[in-house]
């Protein structure tokens, strides 16, 4: 059975829309789906834009929509999921979508994330040389600073798909939602018989009970939504094979 190779890349892409995130601390952009509408020319991208501060997220999206030049052709649609989470549909110039370097070298893109002016990718290959060639291509692109590009044999345990969704769940949640849910789980809030009350969590986190309740509900809603979406996608794939 062929072994998997994992590529992990961290990139600063001068002149690209991703550089806008450098001035918006706490804003995360996670890639959800992409499709080359006109290969070599334009790509349709769907991303999740979220953060802890709704006002900061809205300002980032507003600036993104007004952005001139760079890689953006047009912001097609912004769908409000919650006060601090928006699905955004973008048309991007194909030449500036770095993920296609991964795909065109035979890689499976598992994770795409933009934050603090950086692009972060995780991808898997069957051929070690193909993964190394992707790193080499990144280095040859003008305006691309390859902060790191690591290629290693994958030695992960458990289902690979869960490793992917674990990373995706982490960055679909805001930092506060993640912090509250993590503590709630560790303290036994979700046990059949609860080991801790909401007020106890609020005290430990130095937050109001209402705020903790909001983060728990909002975080769980996002996780369930993403999980159900992935299940629906897999069922559609099984009933409609290519």
């Amino acid at each position: 059975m062929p072994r998997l190779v994992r590529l992990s890349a961290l990139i600063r892409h001068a002149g690209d829309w991703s550089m806008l995130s450098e001035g918006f601390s706490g804003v995360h952009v996670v890639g959800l789906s992409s499709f080359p509408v006109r290969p070599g020319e334009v790509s349709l991208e769907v991303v999740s834009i979220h953060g802890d501060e709704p006002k900061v997220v809205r300002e980032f999206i507003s600036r993104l929509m007004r952005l001139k030049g760079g890689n953006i052709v047009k912001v097609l649609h912004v769908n409000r999921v919650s006060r601090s989470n928006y699905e955004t549909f973008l048309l991007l110039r194909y030449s500036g979508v770095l993920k296609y370097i991964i795909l065109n070298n035979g890689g499976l893109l598992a994770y795409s994330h933009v934050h603090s002016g950086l692009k972060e990718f995780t991808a898997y290959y069957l051929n070690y040389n193909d993964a190394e060639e992707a790193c080499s291509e990144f280095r040859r692109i003008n305006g691309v600073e390859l902060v790191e590009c690591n290629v290693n044999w994958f030695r992960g345990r458990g289902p690979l798909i869960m490793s992917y969704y674990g990373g995706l769940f982490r960055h679909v949640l805001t930092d506060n939602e993640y912090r509250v849910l993590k503590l709630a789980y560790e303290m036994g809030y979700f046990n059949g018989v609860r080991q801790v009350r909401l007020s106890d969590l609020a005290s430990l986190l130095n937050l109001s009970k209402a705020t903790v309740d909001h983060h728990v509900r909002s975080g769980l809603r996002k996780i369930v939504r993403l999980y159900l979406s992935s299940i629906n996608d897999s069922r559609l794939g099984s009933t409609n094979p290519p």
Side-chain angles (χ1 to χ4, degrees):
M1 183 176 178
R3 295 176 63 188
L4 281 174
V5 179
R6 178 163 60 189
L7 177 150
S8 300
L10 195 61
I11 296 168
R12 182 172 283 106
H13 192 180
D16 184 75
W17 69 269
S18 58
M19 295 301 297
L20 179 64
S21 67
E22 192 170 30
F24 289 85
S25 177
V27 170
H28 299 272
V29 184
V30 178
L32 300 178
S33 186
S34 62
F35 180 75
V37 180
R38 295 197 299 272
E41 297 181 35
V42 178
S43 178
L44 174 63
E45 304 286 320
V46 185
V47 300
S48 167
I49 302 177
H50 66 272
D52 284 326
E53 300 294 334
K55 183 178 179 180
V56 175
V57 175
R58 290 195 300 271
E59 176 59 24
F60 174 81
I61 293 173
S62 177
R63 288 278 301 278
L64 188 67
M65 296 179 73
R66 300 195 308 268
L67 198 62
K68 302 296 183 182
N71 192 35
I72 288 186
V73 176
K74 188 176 183 180
V75 178
L76 294 176
H77 179 70
V78 178
N79 178 43
R80 183 178 184 271
V81 178
S82 69
R83 292 177 62 246
S84 57
N85 185 18
Y86 296 80
E87 287 178 342
T88 306
F89 295 73
L90 308 169
L91 275 182
L92 301 179
R93 291 180 179 84
Y94 184 93
S95 60
V97 183
L98 298 183
K99 68 181 67 174
Y100 286 120
I101 290 178
I102 291 172
L103 300 175
N104 293 338
N105 277 283
L108 171 67
L109 182 66
Y111 182 58
S112 171
H113 176 211
V114 171
H115 62 99
S116 306
L118 296 169
K119 289 183 175 180
E120 182 181 357
F121 298 120
T122 300
Y124 294 91
Y125 291 80
L126 293 177
N127 185 294
Y128 198 96
N129 291 335
D130 289 341
E132 287 198 320
E133 178 57 28
C135 287
S136 297
E137 283 198 35
F138 284 138
R139 293 187 180 96
R140 292 195 290 266
I141 298 177
N142 290 333
V144 166
E145 177 191 348
L146 201 56
V147 179
E148 63 179 55
C149 194
N150 300 317
V151 177
N152 301 290
W153 293 107
F154 179 65
R155 297 182 178 86
R157 298 181 181 273
L160 181 62
I161 193 66
M162 291 313 296
S163 173
Y164 160 60
Y165 278 114
L168 188 56
F169 283 139
R170 170 64 186 93
H171 289 291
V172 163
L173 299 176
T174 68
D175 291 342
N176 281 336
E177 287 166 351
Y178 175 77
R179 186 164 61 102
V180 170
L181 286 175
K182 185 173 184 292
L183 181 64
Y185 178 80
E186 291 173 346
M187 297 292 291
Y189 181 77
F190 299 112
N191 291 359
V193 178
R194 285 182 176 171
Q195 305 300 308
V196 66
R197 297 171 300 176
L198 206 60
S199 56
D200 298 324
L201 295 173
S203 178
L204 289 168
L205 292 163
N206 196 28
L207 297 170
S208 71
K209 183 178 176 181
T211 298
V212 171
D213 182 59
H214 168 75
H215 288 320
V216 167
R217 291 175 182 273
S218 177
L220 288 178
R221 184 173 62 252
K222 291 178 183 178
I223 290 173
V224 171
R225 182 172 180 272
L226 181 58
Y227 175 77
L228 291 178
S229 175
S230 70
I231 294 300
N232 288 338
D233 288 347
S234 66
R235 286 179 177 173
L236 286 172
S238 64
T239 57
N240 297 285

